[in-house]
């Protein structure tokens, strides 16, 4: 064997490209985004409507979905709700021209993990996809290390297993959370955001730190992404006649405390 040759067994194998299912009814946007994602190294399945997106998602099992909110017939929110109702946890990035907070909350309610507002910079789409895929890989590694865990009773668990602060209790391994005796139904992003706040209870976390820890990318001062998630999380946490747990420190960020 020539000295420059490398035995086949020692040649590193290229990582399998990630598959993105893209659903966008605007042909120009769909074609441009499909080309950009392909050049970025993704395998892209591009469709023009929600009904086809649902069928392809069920058949191909992509690594991540990019869904336009406003599509004729079955829209992006309906696709998202249908997949979540089936127990499909594939990360979903929504594309939307709607800029009102209520519209963004509707996407989160439907089970989306993140969103990008049109017109968008393709680099922002790449950054958000990378962040979603990193979180998915981390969750898979944790699941493999921990194995199948039984659901803990409200009063069970080994010492140190739970995080507790301000009347909240979290089980990071089982990804469950309670306020008092009430279990909270949280999406993956909501759970990670609440866990970050609980671990730093009483400490004011600035916007840049939260973006970096949760999304892996600082979307800048104009982004409303964090405010939307905090508002949605508050709706699930807060109770009548009880103090608001996640408090806004104007111009800085957020803090978890019970005053």
């Amino acid at each position: 064997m020539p000295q420059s040759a490398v035995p086949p067994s020692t040649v590193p194998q290229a990582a399998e490209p990630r598959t993105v299912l893209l659903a966008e009814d605007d042909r120009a946007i769909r074609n441009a985004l499909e080309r950009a994602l392909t050049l970025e190294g993704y395998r892209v399945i591009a469709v023009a409507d929600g009904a086809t997106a649902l069928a392809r998602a069920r058949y191909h099992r992509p690594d991540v979905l990019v869904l336009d909110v406003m599509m004729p017939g079955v829209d992006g929110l309906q696709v998202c709700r249908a997949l979540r109702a089936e127990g499909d946890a594939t990360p979903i990035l929504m594309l939307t021209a709607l800029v009102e907070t209520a519209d963004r909350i509707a996407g989160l309610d439907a089970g989306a993990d993140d969103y990008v507002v049109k017109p968008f910079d393709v680099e922002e789409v790449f950054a958000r996809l990378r962040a979603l895929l990193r979180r998915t890989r981390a969750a898979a590694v944790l699941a493999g290390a921990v194995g199948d865990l039984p659901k803990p009773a409200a009063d069970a668990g080994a010492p140190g297993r739970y995080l507790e602060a301000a009347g909240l209790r979290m089980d990071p391994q089982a990804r469950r959370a309670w306020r008092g005796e009430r279990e909270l139904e949280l999406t993956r992003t909501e759970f990670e955001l609440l866990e970050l706040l609980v671990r730093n209870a009483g400490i004011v976390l600035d916007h840049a730190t939260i973006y970096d820890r949760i999304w892996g990318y600082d979307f800048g001062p104009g982004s409303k992404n964090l405010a939307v998630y905090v508002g949605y999380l508050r709706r699930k946490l807060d109770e009548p006649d009880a103090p608001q747990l996640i408090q806004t420190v104007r111009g800085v960020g957020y803090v978890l405390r019970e005053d």
Side-chain angles (χ1 to χ4, degrees):
M1 178 187 301
Q3 289 185 348
S4 59
V6 179
S9 60
T10 66
V11 176
Q13 299 298 311
E16 186 72 15
R18 296 286 184 154
T19 300
V20 177
L21 174 57
L22 167 65
E24 167 62 69
D25 66 311
D26 186 304
R27 180 181 297 178
I29 295 176
R30 184 176 66 252
N31 290 345
L33 199 47
E34 181 181 8
R35 286 195 299 271
L37 288 167
T38 301
L39 289 172
E40 190 69 6
Y42 293 98
R43 179 186 295 118
V44 184
I45 302 169
V47 300
D49 61 83
T52 306
L54 264 176
R56 296 291 181 88
R58 291 163 176 159
Y59 181 80
H60 292 284
R61 297 295 180 184
D63 296 295
V64 64
L65 288 88
V66 179
L67 303 176
D68 181 33
V69 171
M70 302 294 289
M71 291 187 288
V74 179
D75 64 24
L77 296 181
Q78 291 172 303
V79 172
C80 193
R81 290 190 190 100
L83 292 174
R84 296 302 188 236
E86 295 168 6
D88 190 326
T90 304
I92 295 175
L93 175 67
M94 307 295 290
L95 304 177
T96 179
L98 305 173
V99 297
E100 296 298 324
T101 298
D103 297 317
R104 298 175 188 179
I105 289 175
L108 304 179
D109 269 332
D113 295 282
D114 202 354
Y115 66 88
V116 173
V117 177
K118 299 177 181 178
F120 51 79
D121 187 320
V122 71
E123 291 297 330
E124 181 180 0
V125 175
F126 293 161
R128 296 192 185 220
L129 288 177
R130 287 193 298 268
L132 287 175
L133 291 169
R134 277 198 303 270
R135 288 158 51 197
T136 302
R137 285 195 296 269
V141 170
L142 178 60
V146 173
D148 294 329
L149 295 170
K151 290 186 176 181
D155 59 351
R161 173 169 174 171
Y162 294 103
L163 302 174
E164 297 189 38
L168 297 173
R169 186 162 54 94
M170 304 187 74
D171 183 343
Q173 292 183 348
R175 301 187 73 80
R176 299 178 68 188
W178 298 262
R179 179 168 188 179
E181 296 302 313
R182 177 172 61 92
E183 184 164 4
L184 306 171
E185 296 295 330
L186 304 177
T187 66
R188 176 173 51 204
T189 300
E190 293 164 2
F191 188 93
E192 292 174 357
L193 177 56
L194 184 59
E195 181 182 356
L196 178 64
L197 292 167
V198 168
R199 289 185 182 275
N200 296 276
I203 300 172
V204 177
L205 298 177
D206 60 68
H207 297 91
T209 296
I210 298 174
Y211 273 125
D212 181 67
R213 294 287 296 277
I214 301 301
W215 285 275
Y217 184 80
D218 185 352
F219 299 112
S223 174
K224 302 294 184 183
N225 202 41
L226 177 56
V228 169
Y229 273 97
V230 169
Y232 192 48
L233 192 52
R234 281 171 172 162
R235 290 170 55 192
K236 296 187 176 183
L237 287 177
D238 292 347
E239 297 177 342
D241 304 318
Q244 187 176 73
L245 298 184
I246 302 176
Q247 300 182 18
T248 302
V249 180
R250 194 170 301 277
V252 180
Y254 298 95
V255 59
L256 178 75
R257 61 185 173 216
E258 188 174 19
D259 291 340

